[in-house]
Amino acid sequence: MVAPKALLQKVGDLLDVDGCSICPSPEVPNFGVILDSTLSFQSHIKPITKSSKHLQTPAITHSLNHLLFGLLQWTPVRPSKALDRLYELTCQQGHSGPTYESMQAVFDLKPFRPAVNLSNPTITNISFTLYAVLGVNEKTQILTSFLWLRLYWHHEFLVWDPEECDGVTRISLPVKELWSPDIIIYEFVDDDVSQACPYVYINHTGHIRWDRMLRLVSACNLQIFSFPFDVQNCSFTFGSYMHTIRDVRVSPALTFEEMSGNSKRYLEASGEWELVVILGETSILQFGIDEWDIITFWVVIKRRPVLYVVNLLIPSSFLMVIDILSFYLPPHSVDRASFKMTLILGYTVFLLIMNDLLPSTANGTPIIGIYFSVCLALMVISLLETVIITNVLHHNSMKYREVPRWVRVLILKHIANLICYRWPEEVPPTPHQDNTEGSNGGSGPWIIQPDAHVPDQNLTCNGGQVAVATAPAAPELQQICQDVSELRAHLTSLQKESELQDQWCHVGYVLDFLLFRIYLLLISCYAVVIICMWCIWISQD
């Protein structure tokens, strides 16, 4: 039997096991049977009898026990002293903990995986705490974070009895003297510049705990369309680089909820990023004929948008409100054009200053960048509209050009009804309508009535030509007739110019109202979209 010398002395000469007397011997056969604490060999008998019901009887089980004990006394194989040291470290009287000589023997076995039976894989338990998000580079698609990483594995050669070692149950040893699993993060894309932790903790059962700090620079598929209300989902995949599933298995040391709760306590007041949740699953990575055991963690983080709302959205909203109010200036005013040019210049300077706050990537453009571009485009369009209206009012009206029929039908009728344009109470008649007025305002000949003391004289003045009915008129009357005719022509010209200008003004007002409504519609849509995105961001808890 295999046992320490002190325990063998307590057994005596004979050992009664299940009615069989066994004599202790310094020799043990090596036939692949694992001895259990009760020496009943149930761990071997159960798999054999499980396959057939007729073998699951007490008599057959008892016979198998005797058969295995008989095999123990059949083939003598003397174990070496090196194998004896692999199972348990030795202690000395008055020495706390295992002796240095016995530990040095284990240190010499560093190149080998610490497993008595190499067919059994070494199980590595992994947990981490996300302490900080150091940076997110949208252009290079890289996430820089800081982790507190903790690894657990079992070293089958580092085992001792605390009662023989003065009650010592845990010691620390240098990690460079021990075998450690080659656990890596597959998304790692930079050199490891983390501060190394040179020691590990080992308890008397051989379980090792290695705590280390890790500055992780990992590749992550960053989606910035909803910036600054974006939520990022980055994956950390832990697994062995060289050892396949037959040699090293990995599993989480804590539940994903516990790791998420621990990380939230440290990441709550850390920069502009907030942890939402940590999820994960275990899977098998297959490449060719080999398989690797891996754990994939999904770290979901969201950005705190207050900085960008204060520095980007609010100033831009103020400039847009001022531009909207500029529509209440008269369209034909020169001050309106200069005012809009000043606004465009100020908005351009604002975008140049805040350009560093906007993320840049080749995968897409954030919606806030599209919002700024649309706002700038609307400002330019409103300035062009002001220039066009000014040109229409000052160019066409001065040349006595009538409003074309298609303009009257399309703009003054259909578009005006579409935007609910309110016409003034007294609309001047259009120039193509003929106005028939009285004798004092018509286009017919002016008749000058003779004075009362000249009953036999009748003067007719038509177009500056004076016709005398009965007698030659005085030169003064001819001059008066010519002046009145010129005055009438001038008044007619002014009236026609006023009517044309009023009609072109109505065309300009309708176009101005149309652009104003489109302006309000686009700004309102973008405002609703941003508010909805903010609400979605708040609900990500």
Side-chain angles (χ1 to χ4, degrees), residues 280-297:
E281 69 173 4
T282 59
S283 58
I284 296 177
L285 176 64
Q286 187 172 5
F287 185 77
I289 61 174
D290 295 325
E291 294 179 342
W292 286 265
D293 200 14
I294 60 174
I295 303 179
T296 303
F297 296 93

Side-chain angles (χ1 to χ4, degrees), residues 60-347:
I60 293 179
T61 303
H62 185 73
S63 300
L64 289 174
N65 272 323
H66 281 284
L67 177 61
L68 291 175
F69 280 117
L71 290 174
L72 282 174
Q73 300 177 357
W74 183 49
T75 308
V77 178
R78 183 179 300 275
S80 64
K81 295 183 180 180
L83 289 175
D84 189 29
R85 289 196 299 267
L86 291 179
Y87 285 97
E88 188 170 333
L89 301 178
T90 60
C91 301
Q92 292 181 355
Q93 187 70 24
H95 186 275
S96 298
T99 60
Y100 299 113
E101 292 79 7
S102 61
M103 288 190 294
Q104 186 61 46
V106 177
F107 295 161
D108 295 337
L109 299 175
K110 176 186 176 182
F112 306 99
R113 187 166 61 87
V116 177
N117 188 357
L118 294 180
S119 62
N120 297 328
T122 300
I123 299 177
T124 304
N125 299 321
I126 302 172
S127 69
F128 70 91
T129 299
L130 182 62
Y131 182 74
V133 177
L134 303 180
V136 176
N137 193 332
E138 294 85 0
K139 187 174 183 179
T140 57
Q141 299 284 292
I142 286 179
L143 170 68
T144 305
S145 57
F146 192 83
L147 307 180
W148 289 346
L149 183 62
R150 177 168 289 183
L151 301 177
Y152 299 90
W153 70 92
H154 186 219
H155 200 299
E156 298 183 11
F157 304 155
L158 290 173
V159 181
W160 69 91
D161 189 358
E163 296 181 356
E164 297 181 1
C165 298
D166 200 14
V168 176
T169 60
R170 188 173 67 170
I171 60 175
S172 62
L173 293 177
V175 67
K176 65 179 181 179
E177 299 293 341
L178 300 173
W179 180 91
S180 59
D182 56 340
I183 301 298
I184 63 170
I185 300 177
Y186 292 170
E187 291 84 2
F188 208 99
V189 293
D190 201 356
D191 296 333
D192 188 4
V193 295
S194 308
Q195 184 178 358
C197 182
Y199 295 98
V200 295
Y201 262 125
I202 307 173
N203 61 12
H204 68 282
T205 59
H207 290 87
I208 300 178
R209 189 191 77 188
W210 186 20
D211 295 333
R212 56 173 301 192
M213 295 174 290
L214 180 63
R215 185 180 182 272
L216 177 61
V217 181
S218 60
C220 180
N221 186 15
L222 301 174
Q223 304 293 335
I224 62 170
F225 178 75
S226 57
F227 173 87
F229 309 103
D230 51 335
V231 179
Q232 305 297 341
N233 187 355
C234 298
S235 61
F236 299 157
T237 304
F238 291 83
S240 175
Y241 179 76
M242 186 65 189
H243 295 88
T244 62
I245 195 172
R246 297 183 178 181
D247 297 327
V248 174
R249 300 294 301 269
V250 293
S251 62
L254 300 174
T255 62
F256 302 120
E257 291 78 9
E258 291 175 341
M259 283 187 277
S260 179
N262 295 335
S263 300
K264 285 182 178 180
R265 284 196 294 270
Y266 293 102
L267 199 63
E268 280 183 353
S270 177
E272 65 172 310
W273 291 95
E274 179 181 350
L275 178 64
V276 178
V277 70
I278 294 179
L279 305 174
E281 69 173 4
T282 59
S283 58
I284 296 177
L285 176 64
Q286 187 172 5
F287 185 77
I289 61 174
D290 295 325
E291 294 179 342
W292 286 265
D293 200 14
I294 60 174
I295 303 179
T296 303
F297 296 93
W298 287 282
V299 178
V300 182
I301 56 177
K302 65 179 181 179
R303 195 191 306 264
R304 293 187 174 98
V306 178
L307 173 67
Y308 302 96
V309 170
V310 173
N311 292 332
L312 291 177
L313 292 179
I314 293 180
S316 176
S317 300
F318 286 160
L319 292 175
M320 296 308 300
V321 169
I322 295 175
D323 191 36
I324 291 174
L325 294 177
S326 67
F327 279 93
Y328 289 96
L329 293 175
H332 55 276
S333 175
V334 180
D335 295 335
R336 179 175 177 177
S338 60
F339 182 76
K340 287 183 175 292
M341 291 179 63
T342 305
L343 274 180
I344 293 176
L345 179 61
Y347 198 79

